[in-house]
Amino acid sequence: MSDDPETVRQIRQLARDTRPLLVLDVDEVVLEFVRPFTAFADSKGFAFRTESFRLTGNVIERENGGIASEEAVSALLDNFFAAQEDWQYAADGAAEAIDALAQGAEIVMLTAMPHAYHAHRRRLLDRLSIPFPLVTTERAKGPAVSLLAGKREAPVAFVDDIPHNHVSVAGAYPRAALFHLMAHEGMRALLTPLPDGVSAMENWFEARTAIAEALGIEA
Ligand SMILES: [Mg+2]
């Protein structure tokens, strides 16, 4: 059980499904995040350096060259999520691949983003013709994936760019097939090694085939 009550509420509202399940992260998987966030930060007087795999510490105040405080980065991120409809766009090949996979699987997008911005993200995804259910969470993803899977016997796959989300899902729902996908190549190169059992994908074209195989469906 997820320890985020709002996430539990959203999952309980979804229609039940017994088909194979594909749970997708949104930022850097379905939507680009690093490139649009860098552009947004720039428009607010900040430079986002993609020199290591973290947010805080990599945001620089352009006026004085200082490292932006944790509070400033947190506010910038909040403002970005509020403005996401003007900045974010689909990752290359994502919409087509998800559409194809949806022919044989239940698709749920599970995004680690404040619940407050659910409607903004919903509108953006709808505009990009990615109409699948969206669940927001402010806590660990593993318990949410387990709740989404329920008692289903069909295969389950999970796609995310953040290694600790894979660790969380592997712990809470060990039968999930784990796939790493990250749109931003520069940032991908800075990742720590992926946890055991996570398959690294170059792009959606490769992922589409591998995920279909794991789910036992056509794509
Ligand atoms: Mg992500």
Side-chain angles (χ1 to χ4, degrees), residues 126-204:
D126 285 344
R127 198 178 79 215
L128 296 170
S129 302
I130 306 172
F132 307 102
L134 173 71
V135 172
T136 49
T137 191
E138 299 178 3
R139 299 292 177 89
K141 286 193 175 184
V145 169
S146 177
L147 189 60
L148 280 164
K151 293 192 186 335
R152 111 178 49 206
E153 288 170 9
V156 174
F158 173 72
V159 187
D160 206 293
D161 63 309
I162 308 285
H164 70 73
N165 288 335
H166 285 292
V167 173
S168 171
V169 172
Y173 193 75
R175 64 186 287 273
L178 307 175
F179 294 92
H180 183 265
L181 201 52
M182 185 171 204
H184 195 275
E185 286 175 32
M187 206 68 157
R188 202 193 311 158
L190 302 171
L191 276 176
T192 52
L194 293 173
D196 281 350
V198 180
S199 305
M201 298 287 117
E202 275 293 310
N203 51 48
W204 262 112

Side-chain angles (χ1 to χ4, degrees), residues 34-177:
V34 175
R35 283 202 289 165
F37 178 72
T38 303
F40 177 78
D42 185 65
S43 78
K44 302 291 180 197
F46 295 94
F48 179 49
R49 297 186 306 198
T50 49
E51 288 167 9
S52 62
F53 193 80
R54 59 178 182 168
L55 213 52
T56 308
N58 277 346
V59 178
I60 309 298
E61 290 180 37
R62 270 212 314 267
E63 206 172 84
N64 55 26
I67 293 175
S69 67
E70 208 175 324
E71 294 71 34
V73 173
S74 173
L76 188 65
L77 191 59
D78 255 26
N79 292 336
F80 175 71
F81 283 137
Q84 61 183 287
E85 290 166 85
D86 297 329
W87 294 88
Q88 288 189 275
Y89 41 88
D92 195 23
E96 299 80 0
I98 299 165
D99 245 358
L101 291 162
Q103 303 307 309
E106 177 185 7
I107 310 276
V108 178
M109 295 180 281
L110 176 63
T111 188
M113 182 187 70
H115 301 302
Y117 307 113
H118 190 288
H120 299 73
R121 181 146 283 184
R122 179 72 274 162
R123 283 194 298 267
L124 172 59
L125 290 164
D126 285 344
R127 198 178 79 215
L128 296 170
S129 302
I130 306 172
F132 307 102
L134 173 71
V135 172
T136 49
T137 191
E138 299 178 3
R139 299 292 177 89
K141 286 193 175 184
V145 169
S146 177
L147 189 60
L148 280 164
K151 293 192 186 335
R152 111 178 49 206
E153 288 170 9
V156 174
F158 173 72
V159 187
D160 206 293
D161 63 309
I162 308 285
H164 70 73
N165 288 335
H166 285 292
V167 173
S168 171
V169 172
Y173 193 75
R175 64 186 287 273

